[in-house]
Each structure stands twice: as C-alpha cells, then as structure tokens.
Amino acid sequence: MVDNAAANRTKVTVPGAQAIARAAALLRLVTAAGDEGASAGDLARRADLTRPTTHRLLTALGHEGLVDHDEQTGRWMPGPELYLMGSVAASRYDITAVGRDVVRSLAVRTEESAFLSVRRGDETVCLLREEGSFPIRSFVLSEGVRFPLGVASAGIAILAFLPRHDVDAYLARHPGIEDAWGESHSPDRMRARLRETTARGYAVNPGLIVEGSWGMGAAVFDREGHPQWALSLTGVEFRFSPDRLPELGRTLLAHAHQLTSRIAATRR
C-alpha cells in the first residue's frame, strides 16, 4: 500500500520530465527495500511501470552508480553514488546527529520502540529507530519506510499542525487514501483525528495500520515553526492503555520539544 504513493508520483509530474519522475520513483523504491534489495519485477509492479521500461531505467541508473545489480540474486540495491550524494546533502538536511540521543532517551524512558521521521513532500520517511526494553515489539516501522501523511502516527502529527489550507490541498491531491488504507482514513475521519491531535498535542494511531499495533507521534518544528519532523512510539495495544497514554504523551511531547529546541539552536 505504501507503494501507491510512488506510482502516483510517476503520473503527476512536469510535462516533459516523465522519465525523471519514473527514475526518481524507482530510486525511492530501491532505497526503501534496503540491504535486501528488490527484483525488477517487484519494482515494476510497485512503480506501476512495464518490465521493459523498468529494466531500461534501472540499467541507466546502474551505469551512473545510483543503483547496484546483484548478478547472483537478480536484485537491485542502492548504489555508491547515492551514498556520496547523501553524504553531501546530510550537512543541510540530516538531523540524526542531534536527534539520535533524544530518540534513544525516548525509548529508554518509555520502554517502547522510538522513531524519528522526516516529512518529504506528502510522505514521512523514517530516519532512526531505537528499540525499547519491552520484549514484545511492533515492526511496522523501520529506517527508510515511507507512509503518506495522515496514516502513521508521525504523519498524523505533522499533518495536524499544518495550516488548514495545506490539509485541504493534501486531501484533494490524494482522494485514494481511503481505498488504499481503509475506511478509518476517510476524509471526515482523518479530519477528526487531526482535530484530536491538535487538542492533545500528540497523535494516537490505535492499530489503524496493523491490528494490535499502536502508535503515538509528536511533531518537531523547524526554526520557522513548520512541522518538518516527528518523534513517534510504537508497541502492542495493551501497552497503550487509557491509564498510560497521558504519561506516554507527556514524555513524547517533552522529547519533541527538546529536539525542536536543539534544531533551532544548531541551525542559526
């Protein structure tokens, strides 16, 4: 279901730039597959492309070093040029250096799995994961995984603190979210969830992605006050009881405020 966003990006693009949009969609899918990589057939299906087009684009990306092809497994993986480009871009966009110990502290304090995600367009991308000490865990989220805004708890938290006209525009751009993610993601129910989030200060995802796997998210803001990142927690349902939710919420918000303050201080 996450892959629908990649397919949509190949259809909504600047005239004359279709090949670039398709190549970018493939790069996102390859990086999301991580170290295990993905087959050309799987990438073609997820990007909504034909096999010949997918193979042609992957071969071209491979010649530029942006993807690697494992001859033994036939799978495609991120290439060395992506690492070099990412290293350069990290100095401007990466906050993992200032956020890592905050995420670790959140996991230690709550005993749940803690995450840092960043907004990229109409999606969130997980940057960091720290395991909590509680032995039963949820594995819905890990580094590199993308979700549409308003779906996972991090995206709910970010969307809730965007201006209303941005929320309206987002929902208008993505009329298929309900079909992809279920009735709980209808526009009316999403708007209600966003209102609850702004009232509480943090988002709660009561098993909307995977039954029994709950999440909470709090927005992290840039110097201009825009919600650009989010801290989140995931765990099994009984760990997010009504008695415990307020305590988890306070801890989550305190860590989000700490990271927001750090970002403001390091980016002057």
Side-chain angles (χ1 to χ4, degrees):
M1 286 184 287
V2 177
D3 304 321
N4 291 341
N8 288 339
R9 279 191 294 264
T10 68
K11 299 172 184 176
V12 183
T13 185
V14 178
Q18 187 180 57
I20 295 175
R22 287 174 169 177
L26 286 175
L27 281 175
R28 291 186 183 99
L29 290 171
V30 169
T31 56
D35 292 338
E36 294 183 2
S39 67
D42 198 26
L43 292 168
R45 178 182 58 80
R46 295 182 182 183
D48 195 23
L49 298 172
T50 65
R51 288 286 292 268
T53 297
T54 300
H55 185 267
R56 185 173 64 252
L57 290 171
L58 288 171
T59 300
L61 291 169
H63 282 312
E64 300 299 328
L66 295 169
V67 296
D68 261 342
H69 186 233
D70 188 317
E71 298 292 342
Q72 291 186 333
T73 65
R75 301 176 81 82
W76 293 86
M77 289 161 284
E81 283 296 326
L82 281 183
Y83 169 77
L84 296 174
M85 292 177 179
S87 298
V88 175
S91 63
R92 179 175 182 185
Y93 295 106
D94 187 22
I95 67 162
T96 55
V98 297
R100 189 176 298 277
D101 68 314
V102 176
V103 179
R104 186 176 297 116
S105 171
L106 182 59
V108 170
R109 289 282 301 277
T110 64
E111 301 182 338
E112 311 298 340
S113 296
F115 308 86
L116 172 64
S117 297
V118 62
R119 180 188 178 189
R120 286 291 177 263
D122 286 351
E123 297 176 319
T124 56
V125 185
C126 180
L127 300 176
L128 289 174
R129 174 183 177 124
E130 286 286 345
E131 300 291 359
S133 60
F134 191 73
I136 304 177
R137 296 166 182 166
S138 168
F139 292 95
V140 174
L141 194 58
S142 59
E143 285 96 337
V145 171
R146 295 170 178 263
F147 282 106
L149 291 177
V151 174
S153 58
I156 297 170
I158 290 173
L159 193 62
F161 288 94
L162 289 176
R164 179 171 295 182
H165 62 83
D166 285 347
V167 175
D168 294 340
Y170 170 78
L171 293 175
R173 286 195 302 273
H174 300 280
I177 283 188
E178 182 178 359
D179 292 336
W181 296 93
E183 293 180 1
S184 61
H185 293 89
S186 69
D188 287 344
R189 295 178 73 172
M190 284 185 68
R191 289 182 189 277
R193 201 170 298 124
L194 297 179
R195 289 193 296 270
E196 293 168 358
T197 299
T198 53
R200 275 191 307 255
Y202 57 87
V204 175
N205 187 330
L208 299 179
I209 300 174
V210 175
E211 186 176 357
S213 177
W214 279 47
M216 300 175 66
V220 174
F221 299 86
D222 63 19
R223 288 183 61 196
E224 288 71 40
H226 304 138
Q228 191 61 37
W229 304 271
L231 292 175
S232 59
L233 297 166
T234 67
V236 290
E237 181 176 357
F238 73 87
R239 296 281 292 174
F240 293 78
S241 65
D243 291 339
R244 192 168 184 246
L245 269 178
E247 176 191 348
L248 288 174
R250 287 191 294 270
T251 303
L252 182 61
L253 286 173
H255 283 72
H257 176 72
Q258 180 185 9
L259 185 51
T260 294
S261 299
R262 281 193 185 182
I263 291 168
T266 58
R267 296 195 167 203
R268 293 189 183 281

